[in-house]
């Protein structure tokens, strides 16, 4: 007999848990007059949140607006800053090389593909992203992606955010409980009780007794208490593709209060991994992702200290991880979101995007009853597997294109470590540039434009001569490249410095009208 979905329980109070609870509540439970669904979130004070994911995609603008959190409120409460791009330092040869992945598509990308033409019209040494996008110029000159005259979430240059994860969780918790009607249970789950058919029936808590639900969302982190431990969904490792397995994370204060704030995530390659560097309002978040097979913890600490410019790093959070994901993400009446679904190194800040995607799908496609839940679960699993495949291919591309000589980088380029789907794309791109025909599914994680930024930024050469007859848009491409330069000339006089805008948001706030 089919039962209605009236009680949804989210287990885990990290970013995944509160974003999911908030999106579900906004869609199904925030109107007291029409409240048919109750959203409850259980989090334990005894379980620490990982809390190092500090980069987002532009999708976060929509998520904040959807939840009813103003951009001004978010920036003030979360130490947040703007993110316009990822900058990759020393990934190609290991010394003095840089390329960018901006959030703004190449100028006129929907009209003409710049890849076959850009080198014919730029000065020697000009990079792909410099030629086709104005956003690298903004980042290199510490310019913000908008001004205080722009409205909430309004865009001049496309942007996401850098944020303090612990402060973001606190803001989400307060907003979800006070504004969206999420029932908050601060307690520890001692037992998972199942029905005969394997469904989760209830969660036995230490102080609040049994908590019954019709749908359970597992946001319990890498432990995956519901989907992994209870429902025994196997973990599919990706450690043959990605060999980094450890991260050291720390916080670095600015030397001076008014030091510039980087408007891009900086990823600097090292001998056995890479270091992330994220600029927040009052500090930087810095961490080293590395392979324990190729680097001892002491050497990793020395590498991190050298990067920061100090003798020792006093306060470090060490995180061990195994890259991969669950074979399915929704089984019976339990769906995993966030780290309980899987983890990949934070190279392109895909973790929060996967959380947003999952939460929105569950909210939009919430089954009306248990009878159709298997259908929704099947579709969700298919969609998320494609999403994960796309993220895996895109992250691996960064390693495949490197020419660094160290064993870590050589192992990352071994043929057997490259997914077949990426091998096929690279074979095609020897003669064609990444295009919409390579990414026909609307759930693809990264666009053709993103692939072009990485591919040609790292120096990949496509031989367009064998299909010369179809590349006849040189004049149109030249016009678009000139428009990029004109846009730079406009914006360098109209956009404020990044820290200047953050200071104005703190004191004045953006207009909501």
């Amino acid at each position: 007999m089919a039962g209605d979905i009236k009680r949804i329980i989210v287990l885990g109070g990290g970013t995944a848990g509160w974003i999911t609870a908030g999106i579900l509540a906004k869609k199904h439970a925030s109107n007291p007059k029409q409240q048919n669904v109750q959203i409850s979130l259980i989090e334990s004070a005894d379980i620490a949140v990982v809390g190092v994911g500090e980069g987002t995609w532009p999708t976060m603008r929509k998520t904040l607006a959807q939840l009813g959190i103003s951009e001004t409120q978010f920036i003030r409460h979360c130490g947040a800053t703007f993110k316009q791009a990822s900058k990759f330092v020393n990934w190609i040869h290991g010394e003095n090389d840089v390329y960018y992945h901006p959030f703004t598509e190449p100028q006129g990308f929907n009209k003409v593909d710049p890849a076959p033409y850009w080198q014919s019209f730029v000065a020697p040494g000009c990079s792909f992203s410099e030629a086709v996008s104005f956003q690298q110029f903004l980042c290199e000159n510490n310019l913000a992606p908008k001004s205080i005259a722009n409205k909430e979430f309004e865009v001049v240059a496309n942007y996401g955010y850098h944020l303090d994860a612990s402060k973001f969780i606190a803001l989400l918790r307060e907003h979800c409980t006070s504004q969206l009607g999420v029932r908050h249970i601060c307690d520890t789950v001692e037992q998972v009780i199942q029905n005969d058919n394997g469904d989760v029936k209830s969660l036995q808590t230490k102080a609040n007794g049994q908590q019954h639900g019709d749908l359970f969302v597992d946001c319990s982190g890498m432990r995956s208490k519901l989907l992994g431990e209870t429902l025994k969904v196997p973990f599919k490792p990706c450690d043959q593709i990605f060999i980094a397995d450890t991260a050291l994370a720390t916080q670095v204060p600015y030397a001076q209060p008014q030091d510039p704030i980087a408007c891009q995530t900086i990823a600097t390659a090292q001998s056995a991994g890479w270091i992330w560097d994220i600029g927040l309002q009052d500090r930087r978040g810095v961490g080293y992702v590395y392979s324990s097979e190729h680097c001892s913890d002491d050497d990793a600490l020395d590498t991190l200290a050298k990067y920061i410019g100090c003798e020792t790093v006093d306060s470090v959070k060490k995180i061990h991880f195994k890259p991969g994901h669950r074979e399915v993400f929704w089984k019976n009446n339990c769906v995993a979101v966030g780290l309980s679904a899987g983890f990949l190194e934070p190279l392109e800040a895909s973790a929060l995007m996967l959380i947003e995607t999952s939460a929105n799908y569950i909210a939009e496609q919430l089954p009306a009853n248990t009878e159709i839940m298997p259908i929704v679960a099947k579709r969700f699993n298919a969609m998320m597997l494609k999403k994960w495949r796309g993220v895996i291919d895109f992250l691996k591309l960064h390693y495949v294109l490197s020419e660094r000589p160290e064993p870590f980088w050589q192992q990352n380029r071994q043929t057997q470590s490259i997914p077949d789907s990426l091998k096929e794309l690279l074979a095609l791109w020897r003669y064609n540039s990444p295009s919409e025909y390579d990414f026909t599914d609307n759930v693809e994680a990264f666009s053709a434009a993103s692939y072009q930024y990485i591919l040609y930024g790292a120096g990949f050469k496509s031989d367009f001569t064998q299909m010369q007859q179809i590349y006849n848009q040189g004049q149109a491409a030249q016009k678009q490249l000139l428009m990029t330069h004109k846009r730079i000339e406009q914006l360098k006089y109209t956009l404020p410095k990044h820290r200047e805008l953050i200071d104005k948001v703190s004191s004045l706030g953006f207009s909501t009208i």
Side-chain angles (χ1 to χ4, degrees), residues 217-269:
V217 185
D218 186 353
C219 299
S220 62
M222 293 181 189
R223 182 182 178 187
S224 190
K225 184 173 180 64
L226 301 183
L227 195 75
E229 286 187 6
T230 303
L231 296 182
K232 310 298 183 187
V233 173
F235 182 81
K236 184 177 180 180
C238 295
D239 50 2
Q240 294 301 310
I241 302 172
F242 301 107
I243 58 177
D245 59 5
T246 312
L248 299 178
T250 191
Q251 299 177 1
V252 181
Y254 290 109
Q256 301 295 329
Q258 288 303 308
D259 279 354
I261 304 172
C263 215
Q264 67 278 359
T265 298
I266 303 167
T268 304

Side-chain angles (χ1 to χ4, degrees), residues 185-190 204-211:
I185 303 168
C186 190
D187 206 343
T188 301
V189 172
E190 296 184 318
Q204 179 69 43
T205 63
K206 187 175 182 179
N208 289 272
Q210 282 193 46
Q211 301 297 320

Side-chain angles (χ1 to χ4, degrees), residues 443-508:
V443 302
E444 290 288 353
F446 291 88
S447 68
S450 290
Y451 275 91
Q452 286 201 9
Y453 279 129
I454 304 304
L455 200 68
Y456 299 121
F460 187 89
K461 298 288 192 294
S462 299
D463 181 3
F464 297 108
T465 59
Q466 295 194 34
M467 297 292 286
Q468 204 164 8
Q469 67 274 13
I470 67 171
Y471 297 120
N472 53 13
Q473 291 183 286
Q475 286 187 325
Q478 185 179 23
K479 183 179 179 181
Q480 297 298 340
L481 295 174
L482 287 172
M483 287 178 67
T484 298
H485 286 283
K486 288 180 180 179
R487 191 74 173 127
I488 289 172
E489 290 302 312
Q490 292 171 344
L491 295 177
K492 71 181 182 182
Y493 296 113
T494 57
L495 289 175
K497 294 290 187 181
H498 188 196
R499 184 174 284 282
E500 178 189 336
L501 177 59
I502 293 297
D503 289 345
K504 285 186 176 179
V505 174
S506 297
S507 59
L508 300 174

Side-chain angles (χ1 to χ4, degrees), residues 415-427:
T415 302
Q416 64 268 28
S417 77
I418 305 172
D420 289 342
S421 50
L422 180 58
K423 288 178 186 174
E424 290 177 359
L425 289 171
L426 287 167

